[in-house]
Amino acid sequence: MFPGFEKIVEERIKTAQKKGAFDNLEGKGKPFVLEPAHPASDDCRLAYKMLKNAGYLPPEIELKKKITQAELLLEATDAASARHREITKKLNYLLTKLDFLRGGISPLITDKYQENIIRKLS
């Protein structure tokens, strides 16, 4: 950091406080409630908090949301339609991707693909 940078920041914060820039912040006048401790190390905890506040979701959570959306679409489509087959492929892809992120293979996928692989190889 630049020498004197912290002093400049502190001065700007104090000036903003005097002008009332922080008067209408959420939670003003209420006790500060700490979130439960994150299992990550102290070094990473602040980074996770910042990512959460910025609306970032970990890849696994993003995939779970997409999987849920695909499942809902699948329920709403006719089982014999081409759209149903497209959504099924997308859902299988998303499940595979999620399992890959977790370092394993889902039994749901294994059974289905195992049958298809055996049928094609026979």
Side-chain angles (χ1 to χ4, degrees):
M1 245 191 250
F2 301 107
F5 182 73
E6 290 178 17
K7 186 175 181 181
I8 294 170
V9 171
E10 286 295 323
E11 287 175 9
R12 288 193 180 176
I13 290 172
K14 287 179 184 178
T15 304
Q17 283 176 327
K18 288 177 186 175
K19 290 181 180 179
F22 304 124
D23 288 348
N24 59 351
L25 291 177
E26 181 182 340
K28 182 180 181 201
K30 298 177 185 173
F32 184 71
V33 179
L34 290 173
E35 291 185 13
H38 194 280
S41 68
D42 290 338
D43 296 337
C44 294
R45 194 171 296 139
L46 179 60
Y48 283 127
K49 175 88 170 151
M50 290 171 64
L51 290 171
K52 179 183 173 192
N53 290 343
Y56 171 80
L57 291 175
E60 185 173 342
I61 304 300
E62 286 282 350
L63 278 172
K64 286 181 180 180
K65 284 179 127 181
K66 289 178 182 180
I67 288 169
T68 301
Q69 290 171 346
E71 288 171 340
L72 292 172
L73 283 172
L74 202 56
E75 290 175 9
T77 58
D78 179 30
S81 70
R83 179 78 174 134
H84 191 274
R85 287 188 296 277
E86 288 174 24
I87 297 169
T88 303
K89 286 179 185 179
K90 180 179 179 178
L91 180 59
N92 286 330
Y93 168 75
L94 292 171
L95 288 169
T96 304
K97 193 172 179 180
L98 178 64
D99 289 332
F100 180 75
L101 279 176
R102 291 179 173 169
I105 296 178
S106 168
L108 295 173
I109 294 173
T110 305
D111 294 341
K112 181 176 180 183
Y113 282 110
Q114 183 177 5
E115 290 173 17
N116 287 339
I117 291 170
I118 291 171
R119 189 173 346 105
K120 288 182 180 182
L121 292 176
S122 299

